[in-house]
Amino acid sequence: MAKRTVVVTGAGGFIGGHLVSRLLHSRSVQVRAVDIKPFSQWQQIFDTAENLQLDCSRLEECEIATKDAGYVYNLAADIGGMGFMTNNKARCMLSVLINTHMLKAALHNGVERYFYPSSACVYAAAKQQDTKVTALREEDAYPAMPEDGYGWEKLFSERMCRHFREDFGLVSRVARFHNIYGPYGTWDGGREKVPAAICRRVIQAKLSGNHTIEIWGDGQQTRSFMYIDDCLHGIDLLFNSDVEEPLNVGSQELVSINQLVDIVEGIVGLRLSRTYSLNAPQGVRGRNSENTRIKKYFCWEPCIPLAIGLEKTYAWIYDQIVSGRQSKD
């Protein structure tokens, strides 16, 4: 029997690269890895995959990406950390072209199952105004008032997946990710997420001897962070399930940004003097994942402790910095 072709868009990015690696360990699939970036800029690239440089905001290139494919994981998006999202709302929203055209191409080419990674940024802002936030349930996305720009695009694209399933029979699965981190992610240049940014700043403080660190906001804002291995396991469970509604995939280990810095300082054995940039982008005051549904469906939830995941992430970023490498995004 011929191997089933599985498409991963955004394969040159953080989650996409890890997902390609995981899929390649299966003998029953052939992986088609797709990204708009030149191959030299991919976070990870594998010779055993079919690697294509395509712009998935263009319908004709989505048709190429999905030709003869059985499954699609559409991870492509123009995205970064809070600073990028705050200053690039239109660019973030233009990612709607990617999901719209990938859905159309997947339907046209007879794709059996389609995965879309949504975000905790879809949740209503009014429910995230306290650092001691009540964990967000899936139904808290409505009435809709998501994060401007990126959050609106994610919520709209969730609905597109739903209606393609209802109207045309394209089976789709949607995960709402909560702050994924780990090795092989962007760690500088303006698109990095908070855990990578904090690791980089602590490393730079250690190497330079200037034992100070700048924190965006007052450091009291709270989040949960999910290590990449938990993310991949959650994708696998959800993609192969009968769960049709969007589902939280995130850790419930709520920490403040100050506590996040504490953990990284503990890894290094160094205490830094902190300065706070109160006018820098910082997002909502508090956000956490409510995991009742994922535990109900799978008897599982993301469980890798933040301290363990950060230690691995720190070690990888440290190696990049001391070897003189630059982040690829």
Side-chain angles (χ1 to χ4, degrees):
M1 183 179 295
K3 289 186 178 181
R4 183 188 304 276
T5 297
V6 177
V7 175
V8 178
T9 69
F14 168 48
I15 304 173
H18 281 282
L19 180 58
V20 169
S21 177
R22 185 182 182 96
L23 290 169
L24 285 171
H25 284 88
S26 171
R27 297 182 179 181
S28 61
V29 300
Q30 176 176 316
V31 179
R32 181 178 298 152
V34 178
D35 203 290
I36 191 173
K37 298 188 294 291
F39 295 141
S40 62
Q41 295 179 19
W42 289 28
Q43 298 286 2
Q44 300 183 75
I45 192 165
F46 303 92
D47 292 339
T48 49
E50 177 190 2
N51 299 304
L52 300 178
Q53 185 185 353
L54 296 171
D55 180 358
C56 290
S57 69
R58 299 172 59 86
L59 178 59
E60 58 270 28
E61 300 196 27
C62 293
E63 294 280 359
I64 296 170
T66 57
K67 184 176 175 58
D68 300 322
Y71 296 156
V72 168
Y73 297 84
N74 180 26
L75 302 178
D78 192 359
I79 186 54
M82 182 52 61
F84 179 86
M85 290 191 293
T86 299
N87 296 310
N88 294 278
K89 294 183 178 68
R91 287 183 64 178
C92 289
M93 292 197 75
L94 282 171
S95 292
V96 74
L97 295 174
I98 298 172
N99 193 54
T100 303
H101 289 152
M102 282 297 296
L103 282 167
K104 291 185 69 175
L107 183 66
H108 178 258
N109 283 323
V111 166
E112 298 172 30
R113 189 164 289 223
Y114 184 97
F115 176 81
Y116 180 71
S118 187
S119 166
C121 291
V122 303
Y123 286 114
K127 296 181 181 291
Q128 303 174 77
Q129 295 179 348
D130 194 319
T131 58
K132 297 178 181 179
V133 62
T134 299
L136 296 160
R137 302 168 300 170
E138 284 80 358
E139 56 265 35
D140 288 332
Y142 296 95
M145 187 50 69
E147 201 155 297
D148 200 9
Y150 177 70
W152 277 110
E153 186 276 323
K154 286 295 186 183
L155 193 61
F156 177 82
S157 292
E158 282 189 11
R159 303 293 289 195
M160 287 286 287
C161 290
R162 170 180 169 177
H163 296 314
F164 265 71
R165 184 184 73 248
E166 293 173 340
D167 294 356
F168 307 124
L170 176 58
V171 176
S172 62
R173 298 291 179 260
V174 175
R176 289 180 181 159
F177 290 152
H178 289 248
N179 298 311
I180 305 159
Y181 71 100
Y184 294 99
T186 304
W187 52 270
D188 69 354
R191 289 182 182 257
E192 67 274 19
K193 303 293 181 68
V194 174
I198 296 299
C199 286
R200 186 197 74 239
R201 292 174 186 175
V202 172
I203 292 165
Q204 290 171 335
K206 174 182 172 64
L207 294 177
S208 69
N210 180 11
H211 293 173
T212 63
I213 185 171
E214 180 187 65
I215 297 173
W216 286 7
D218 61 8
Q220 297 178 35
Q221 61 270 37
T222 53
R223 298 290 187 276
S224 65
F225 300 94
M226 175 172 59
Y227 189 63
I228 183 63
D229 289 357
D230 271 341
C231 175
L232 296 174
H233 188 60
I235 291 173
D236 187 56
L237 290 172
L238 178 56
F239 187 78
N240 293 293
S241 75
D242 296 325
V243 180
E244 293 185 334
E245 71 265 29
L247 192 66
N248 277 337
V249 181
S251 169
Q252 288 192 294
E253 185 183 353
L254 186 70
V255 296
S256 69
I257 301 304
N258 278 328
Q259 289 172 321
L260 180 66
V261 176
D262 290 342
I263 294 171
V264 180
E265 287 178 338
I267 293 169
V268 186
L270 185 67
R271 184 69 178 175
L272 303 177
S273 175
R274 304 179 188 189
T275 62
Y276 295 92
S277 181
L278 300 181
N279 294 322
Q282 53 189 290
V284 297
R285 288 298 286 166
R287 177 181 291 153
N288 196 12
S289 179
E290 210 288 329
N291 287 349
T292 297
R293 288 191 186 177
I294 195 169
K295 289 189 288 187
K296 172 186 174 183
Y297 288 129
F298 306 125
C299 298
W300 175 87
E301 65 176 319
C303 54
I304 296 173
L306 182 58
I308 291 175
L310 278 175
E311 188 171 4
K312 295 177 181 180
T313 305
Y314 178 93
W316 182 82
I317 295 175
Y318 182 87
D319 287 344
Q320 306 311 298
I321 291 176
V322 297
S323 63
R325 300 188 186 101
Q326 293 183 337
S327 190
K328 293 188 177 182
D329 274 340

